Amino acid sequence: MRAVAADLSITSPSIGTYATPRSLPPRRDGKDASGAKHGGPVDTVALSEAAQQQVQKLKQADTSVRQHEAAHQAAGGSHAGGASFTFTRGPDGKNYATAGEVPVDSSPEVEPAATIAKMEQVKAAALAPADPSPQDLRVAAQADATKLQAQAEQRRQGGDTASGRAAAAAYGAAQALGKGGTPKGLTV
């Protein structure tokens, strides 16, 4: 699942200044060569207003991307893997997540009913974030197509069985994951 923060425009990674002062080794009395007492190395960051705005955008993007991928993971359950992120270094020298992905197992199962239930959960995971990406929508569509194939196979094998009813119940549960305050969307 790949989610790229919308409206994130980084014009220059070098806006503002970032300075790490040189550290001189302290003497035995805890003072450096200039005679000043130091408690340890100190980083100073002086950012221009534009750089501060860029850092704010990066912080917002980081939060959004992490929430997006967490929604995929939560809705994907055992079919979702761990999130991985792409980072952008801000003018403050810190890394911010600006894209991410969560792998989701969307392979069909041996039994059509199990495939139907799995594809419903995959679709719910794909549509879990509030801001589904184009890839999220493709995953949801692919899950629907695989589910339709499994339903056709299930009808060929004998129609409405106990496992078909269980799949319907699982579908309802998966739909409930995608509703009620949980955002909609996923990227594989």
Side-chain angles (χ1 to χ4, degrees):
M1 289 148 237
R2 182 165 285 294
V4 179
D7 298 333
L8 177 65
S9 60
I10 300 172
T11 54
S12 171
S14 61
I15 296 174
T17 59
Y18 175 76
T20 304
R22 277 196 201 153
S23 298
L24 299 174
R27 301 184 313 200
R28 287 187 184 197
D29 61 1
K31 297 180 181 180
D32 66 16
S34 69
K37 180 94 172 158
H38 290 283
V42 176
D43 290 343
T44 59
V45 179
L47 297 176
S48 68
E49 188 171 326
Q52 289 173 3
Q53 289 175 356
Q54 184 180 5
V55 168
Q56 271 309 110
K57 283 184 180 181
L58 287 167
K59 284 180 181 180
Q60 290 171 350
D62 183 271
T63 300
S64 175
V65 166
R66 290 178 190 276
Q67 288 174 348
H68 183 103
E69 301 309 328
H72 288 313
Q73 283 183 296
S78 63
H79 304 299
S84 62
F85 299 99
T86 302
F87 295 94
T88 299
R89 184 174 299 275
D92 59 353
K94 296 180 182 176
N95 288 328
Y96 299 93
T98 52
E101 60 185 34
V102 172
V104 175
D105 177 9
S106 60
S107 62
E109 298 292 320
V110 175
E111 292 295 319
T115 299
I116 291 167
K118 182 177 182 179
M119 291 306 114
E120 289 166 350
Q121 187 168 12
V122 168
K123 181 179 179 179
L127 299 177
D131 56 343
S133 70
Q135 177 63 19
D136 296 343
L137 299 175
R138 281 190 291 274
V139 169
Q142 180 185 1
D144 274 341
T146 303
K147 176 182 161 188
L148 286 173
Q149 290 173 344
Q151 287 171 331
E153 179 62 26
Q154 187 177 42
R155 282 190 296 278
R156 281 191 293 273
Q157 290 179 357
D160 189 29
T161 63
S163 62
R165 288 187 296 276
Y171 176 75
Q175 290 296 353
L177 285 175
K179 295 182 180 173
T182 304
K184 302 172 186 157
L186 165 94
T187 317
V188 174

